[in-house]
Amino acid sequence: MEKRLKRVRGLVVNKYPYRESSDVIVLFTDEYGKIKAVAKGRRKPGSRLGAALENFCLSEIVLYLSRDRELQIVKEAQLLDPHAELTRNYKFLLGASYVSELLERGTEVFSPNRALLELALSSLKLIPEAVDLKKLLAAFLLKALSYLGHMPVLDRCVACGSREKLLYFSVEKGGVLCANCPKSADDSVMLGARGISELQRILKMPMDRLNRFKADSDLLFDLSVKFARHHLEIPDLFARKVDI
Ligand SMILES: [Zn+2]
């Protein structure tokens, strides 16, 4: 049985109490993707594993790691970035919880995805300065889904292949539909040429440039949440959150 001491950089995406005084920490790490690890005695006074394993902390963690166990064991943890700005405002925390829930529920253990981790980290940084939180989260979700192999098709009609008059979007079909094909999907939504071009831009644009363009963020956010639920096959993803 492989069991080794490993040093990883990881974002804490969730934690929950475990046994009498320990916590299980859900981490999204650079090298291994999602892993779950026990922080023994973390809830005892004076535990050295306190500060670095709070939600949304980016930390360097030394683990006893074994792929054939469900729970790894935290040996040491050192805080790199607490993302403290997020705690200034309830909305920031709510926005950040979309990022962490996507990483926790939308990925499998031991499936590394560095692009997704870096996207999550840049999104957490940008949340406190976002002019439009829904637009930022829509962009995060669409990019994250792309990194997870579910990139929406935006340059041609998913029914007939046409590149002309792209006006509708279907979550179930995974992309846009042209003026001739809205009936080919039960859930097609009219976005218009402008809405489609907003989707294209949001997917291409770096996260730190989003503030520069306007979008119908209510609609894009709603579509991106539905897109994530459908393509990750998690119908209740984000279902417990209040409105942003
Ligand atoms: Zn078509």
Side-chain angles (χ1 to χ4, degrees):
M1 190 173 82
E2 186 202 15
K3 184 177 176 183
R4 294 211 186 113
L5 214 50
K6 297 284 184 190
R7 185 181 299 270
V8 298
R9 188 176 72 117
L11 177 68
V12 178
V13 293
N14 205 354
K15 62 179 164 52
Y16 44 94
Y18 182 72
R19 299 199 174 147
E20 202 171 310
S21 62
S22 302
D23 281 331
V24 166
I25 313 291
V26 185
L27 296 161
F28 198 84
T29 67
D30 47 8
E31 201 167 335
Y32 302 101
K34 181 174 75 178
I35 51 178
K36 298 179 183 183
V38 179
K40 285 185 179 165
R42 182 171 181 272
R43 282 179 292 124
K44 282 184 185 161
S47 166
R48 288 178 302 111
L49 299 175
L53 298 176
E54 288 297 331
N55 284 339
F56 311 122
C57 284
L58 177 68
S59 295
E60 188 175 82
I61 298 143
V62 179
L63 297 156
Y64 293 105
L65 192 109
S66 169
R67 282 177 187 265
D68 42 28
R69 290 174 16 157
E70 194 197 340
L71 290 175
Q72 316 307 322
I73 297 165
V74 177
K75 180 170 181 279
E76 295 163 21
Q78 188 177 9
L79 186 61
L80 298 175
D81 185 344
H83 294 111
E85 295 286 293
L86 294 171
T87 61
R88 270 189 5 227
N89 183 312
Y90 173 70
K91 280 221 159 183
F92 298 167
L93 284 173
L94 182 62
S97 74
Y98 277 82
V99 175
S100 57
E101 184 170 341
L102 191 282
L103 294 188
E104 182 183 11
R105 300 186 67 196
T107 67
E108 303 294 328
V109 290
F110 291 112
S111 303
N113 193 327
R114 281 173 201 255
L116 182 58
L117 176 61
E118 296 311 318
L119 173 70
L121 293 174
S122 63
S123 301
L124 292 181
K125 280 278 174 226
L126 290 166
I127 282 172
E129 57 198 64
V131 174
D132 182 338
L133 187 54
K134 279 190 173 176
K135 185 172 65 184
L136 187 145
L137 291 175
F140 165 76
L141 288 175
L142 291 173
K143 288 171 193 289
L145 266 285
S146 300
Y147 296 157
L148 290 167
H150 305 285
M151 185 184 285
V153 176
L154 300 177
D155 61 344
R156 62 188 184 277
C157 174
V158 288
C160 74
S162 168
R163 293 175 187 270
E164 307 286 317
K165 293 188 192 160
L166 302 174
L167 297 176
Y168 300 86
F169 187 83
S170 163
V171 166
E172 285 179 20
K173 297 266 183 187
V176 294
L177 293 163
C178 75
N180 299 322
C181 297
K183 293 214 168 79
S184 69
D186 294 332
D187 68 337
S188 59
V189 177
M190 174 72 168
L191 287 186
R194 184 158 168 268
I196 304 291
S197 98
E198 283 177 354
L199 266 181
Q200 291 167 338
R201 291 181 71 189
I202 218 171
L203 197 62
K204 276 191 201 147
M205 194 175 276
M207 293 298 284
D208 59 1
R209 303 265 305 275
L210 286 170
N211 279 347
R212 297 189 191 179
F213 94 106
K214 285 205 171 70
D216 182 348
S217 50
D218 282 335
L219 183 58
L220 292 180
F221 177 69
D222 187 50
L223 276 182
S224 58
V225 167
K226 285 181 179 157
F227 194 83
R229 282 179 183 155
H230 182 79
H231 292 281
L232 295 172
E233 299 177 34
I234 310 175
D236 66 345
L237 188 68
F238 312 131
R240 291 169 61 196
K241 300 199 190 309
V242 296
D243 233 8
I244 286 262

